[in-house]
Amino acid sequence: MASFAQERGFHSKNDMSAEEPRFSFGSTKHRTASISLGDINNDGKIDAVIANGRHWPETNYIFYNSGKGFNSMMALDNLSSTSYAAELVDLDNDGDLDIVEINDNSPHRIYTNDGLGHFKFHSEIAEVSDARNVALGDLDNNGFMDFIITNRGQQNMICYNNGKLNFDCVKLQTNKNATIDIAIQDLNGDNLPDLVLANRDNIPNEIFINKGNRQFTKKLDFGSGTFETRSVAIADMNNDGILDIVTGNINGSNIIYFGDKNFTFNQTLLFGSKDTDTFSIALADFNKDGFIDIVTGNYLKPNSVFLNLDGKTFEEINLTDSSSRTYGVTVGDINSDGWIDIAIANSDDFNLYYLNIFHKK
């Protein structure tokens, strides 16, 4: 049985007015796809960038954290785009966070940070595509952050960072293409980041192994594809020293694929309801018990946190008893108290954040 988060560890929407929630990013509703958290002005507080639009052009916004909440905001640009993601990442290794903005059938764009949290358009990047997300990581171990644009119905685009904001963008060679999300992590212990692709349209999820020299080879499929995976994350969920894969699915329950020494990911654990469509997941140890927990962003069902009790048993608590069209969830220490909080990106509803109060138990 699910319990409610305001009783078990998070300030929720029920602690405020549903018509005018206090813990929201602004006072207007957008077709928001995702939220990126990071300290953009180097004041020690976690700020936020909201990506709006999806298939319709809208303005993306920056929210500055005063320490008492997100009490200042400004538009990222005067150009509105069909954004699915506006992710914070230091692309030029100058010590501050820049933004890579990913748009659906509109040019992808890079914005640079002046170090004080002000962003300037730098350039368009890659080719226009049916983009749905972006994944970040140093894929070639050259000390600069690369990124992968996930494209539904088209090959995904890897943009290798050569430094000085110069990129080589190449397509990841796949036979079928319906990727919504990608997780980047070294799965086989060779110090090269590998790729886990979350696919839709009856295409199984895929693992690609990094062979070095900017080359990837497909290792295996996992999952049938019939439930359609919208989100994927990687962590050691059962503390056995081997990384596991967590997927958020529609048309079926969410699944943990446990890693093993044979690299099969055959052992699985289902969590959540099979009639709940999960659009996004994020991982963190919310209650500091040494086990990684899961938060799910669900479509027209209450969003949930699954507390990991022992690596194989999970307790579900709802963040709220209401539901929205949630497209994205992300985690970070928003109020700088040492406990991980949750930010929720909703379409046509308020974007909300939930403060962790497990330490008050």
Side-chain angles (χ1 to χ4, degrees), residues 3-10 361:
S3 59
F4 292 113
Q6 65 268 24
E7 302 169 355
R8 293 299 315 281
F10 294 92
K361 291 181 59 178

Side-chain angles (χ1 to χ4, degrees), residues 57-243:
E58 287 196 41
T59 301
N60 297 327
Y61 288 98
I62 303 164
F63 285 84
Y64 298 94
N65 187 345
S66 68
K68 301 287 187 180
F70 296 94
N71 295 328
S72 301
M73 62 172 279
M74 67 180 298
L76 172 60
D77 198 345
N78 57 10
L79 176 69
S80 296
S81 295
T82 51
S83 295
Y84 264 89
E87 290 296 311
L88 290 163
V89 55
D90 186 1
L91 293 173
D92 50 10
N93 282 13
D94 64 352
D96 55 48
L97 295 173
D98 310 300
I99 293 174
V100 54
E101 178 188 274
I102 302 303
N103 302 305
D104 176 35
N105 284 302
S106 181
H108 312 305
R109 297 161 67 88
I110 289 175
Y111 293 85
T112 55
N113 188 339
D114 66 358
L116 301 175
H118 307 125
F119 293 91
K120 180 181 179 181
F121 169 73
H122 178 269
S123 61
E124 295 179 357
I125 187 72
E127 63 185 42
V128 174
S129 61
D130 295 326
R132 293 297 183 269
N133 211 333
V134 63
L136 310 170
D138 183 2
L139 297 174
D140 55 3
N141 287 349
N142 70 345
F144 292 95
M145 290 295 288
D146 313 305
F147 58 88
I148 307 176
I149 301 169
T150 65
N151 296 316
R152 185 177 183 184
Q154 300 168 327
Q155 289 181 320
N156 303 307
M157 183 71 69
I158 304 177
C159 290
Y160 291 104
N161 189 344
N162 299 314
K164 298 182 179 180
L165 295 173
N166 176 263
F167 294 85
D168 294 328
C169 294
V170 299
K171 293 178 180 178
L172 178 67
Q173 297 303 309
T174 48
N175 294 324
K176 297 181 180 180
N177 306 285
T179 304
I180 302 297
D181 192 20
I182 293 178
I184 300 174
Q185 191 74 259
D186 178 11
L187 292 174
N188 58 358
D190 63 356
N191 296 315
L192 293 170
D194 306 306
L195 309 178
V196 180
L197 276 59
N199 295 322
R200 293 191 63 186
D201 303 333
N202 294 313
I203 298 174
N205 302 315
E206 301 168 283
I207 297 176
F208 282 78
I209 296 299
N210 191 337
K211 307 302 288 187
N213 299 315
R214 298 184 173 181
Q215 299 295 317
F216 287 87
T217 300
K218 182 173 176 178
K219 176 69 173 179
L220 56 86
D221 294 332
F222 68 98
S224 66
T226 57
F227 41 71
E228 302 203 22
T229 299
R230 296 269 324 206
S231 186
V232 62
I234 299 171
D236 183 0
M237 301 301 294
N238 55 359
N239 290 357
D240 65 350
I242 301 174
L243 291 173

